[in-house]
Amino acid sequence: VLSFSSGMEKVVACSYKRPNALCRLICFPWAGGGTAQLAQWGRLFSSSIEVYSVRLPGRETRFKEPFAKDMTTVVNEIASVLLEDLQEKPFAFFGHSFGSYISFAVALHLKEKYGLEPIHLFISGAHAPHSEAFLPIKRIHDVEDEDIIAHLKILGGTPSELLQNEDIRKHVILTFREDLRVLQTFSFEKADRNIPLSCDITCFDGSEDIEHDLEAWNDITSGDISIYKLPGGHFYLLEPSNEIFLTKHITRCIENSDL
């Protein structure tokens, strides 16, 4: 079995190693998030798909590292660590919310710099990056701690008993703020007639989440785009029934592309 390099071990969690998989699914976390939930998706996929979950600095085993300062730093690190793996066999990206923007930024970088592209981009709970609807996110600055905690409780991505612990709560708030700051350094200007990607894009959204501008993802690929609304709020993807739908649908999309 191929062992992970130290850089890889740091940046990627792979709980279910499948060296013979035909394709890798690289998952990108939401703001304030780590690798725990998405790395566990590995157990739901067949042996043809190996799941990587990306770990940003400042959390989990990278707790002692400073947070990334901007999107360029995040993208460069992920791309350089994963490059060999991505050149070796086909790959797809899945990102939720903040993770959707990272996954798109990494896809863009790989295409421009190495001519590499995911066979499929799976976007969840996110506006298209050049959409007007994305702009207010870039203006969020002075968020109160209470608002972040309230937000996290609504999102349900962080167990509330953890938030009772002062140190954990402080770190969760800090991580969320730092991720938001990275997001605010990301901008994508859609140039006329320039369609940056050619892969198919599937957009997932929670039916009770705020409306996301999903249609506009159409502008950034010459491939097909499909949209699915699943029951639930912003963290609809953590519901076991939705997890099953997502992993089955993602498997079907990947197995139907010409691997």
Side-chain angles (χ1 to χ4, degrees):
V1 178
L2 293 170
S3 66
F4 266 30
S5 66
S6 57
M8 185 69 104
E9 201 65 81
K10 190 169 81 165
V11 177
V12 168
C14 178
S15 306
Y16 297 85
K17 294 199 169 57
R18 301 206 169 115
N20 302 324
L22 300 173
C23 179
R24 291 196 181 90
L25 177 68
I26 321 289
C27 298
F28 297 81
W30 45 87
T35 59
Q37 288 97 338
L38 295 175
Q40 284 307 308
W41 272 19
R43 75 188 193 285
L44 301 172
F45 282 96
S46 70
S47 57
S48 63
I49 297 169
E50 184 175 48
V51 175
Y52 281 7
S53 185
V54 169
R55 184 186 296 112
L56 302 180
R59 69 212 74 198
E60 297 176 349
T61 51
R62 306 187 69 183
F63 183 77
K64 292 197 160 74
E65 293 179 50
F67 289 99
K69 285 288 165 262
D70 53 45
M71 187 65 96
T72 307
T73 312
V74 169
V75 168
N76 287 343
E77 179 183 57
I78 294 168
S80 62
V81 166
L82 286 177
L83 189 60
E84 267 182 56
D85 281 42
L86 302 183
Q87 285 169 331
E88 175 196 44
K89 63 172 76 164
F91 61 96
F93 284 171
F94 173 88
H96 178 65
S97 199
F98 169 58
S100 290
Y101 302 113
I102 307 177
S103 70
F104 172 68
V106 173
L108 210 54
H109 176 79
L110 290 170
K111 181 82 185 261
E112 286 169 356
K113 199 161 179 199
Y114 305 103
L116 277 176
E117 197 174 357
I119 55 171
H120 205 112
L121 187 56
F122 298 98
I123 292 300
S124 169
H127 302 293
H130 59 297
S131 158
E132 291 285 312
F134 178 61
L135 295 176
I137 296 175
K138 305 198 66 164
R139 299 197 193 102
I140 303 172
H141 283 299
D142 310 314
V143 194
E144 296 293 329
D145 285 3
E146 290 72 44
D147 294 341
I148 293 178
I149 290 297
H151 177 67
L152 293 170
K153 281 182 176 156
I154 293 165
L155 297 184
T158 310
S160 48
E161 58 274 17
L162 282 182
L163 297 174
Q164 304 300 319
N165 176 310
E166 182 67 18
D167 288 344
I168 291 176
R169 191 167 72 235
K170 276 193 175 134
H171 189 69
V172 167
I173 290 171
L174 178 64
T175 307
F176 186 86
R177 280 189 191 285
E178 293 288 342
D179 287 352
L180 200 57
R181 183 184 303 172
V182 163
L183 186 55
Q184 290 169 344
T185 66
F186 174 59
S187 64
F188 167 68
E189 302 293 331
K190 168 85 180 68
D192 289 344
R193 292 195 302 280
N194 169 32
I195 299 173
L197 301 176
S198 60
C199 59
D200 290 350
I201 298 179
T202 301
C203 302
F204 301 108
D205 226 354
S207 55
E208 285 118 67
D209 197 1
I210 60 160
E211 276 292 313
H212 287 107
D213 184 356
L214 305 176
E215 301 289 338
W217 283 100
N218 222 345
D219 305 338
I220 54 189
T221 186
S222 53
D224 292 334
I225 177 165
S226 2
I227 292 173
Y228 294 88
K229 296 274 178 102
L230 299 177
H234 190 58
F235 274 93
Y236 76 91
L237 75 167
L238 300 180
E239 291 294 326
S241 57
N242 287 335
E243 258 190 341
I244 289 164
F245 176 88
L246 286 165
T247 49
K248 280 191 168 155
H249 189 78
I250 290 169
T251 300
R252 205 161 47 237
C253 292
I254 288 175
E255 288 179 347
N256 288 342
S257 21
D258 306 322
L259 291 180

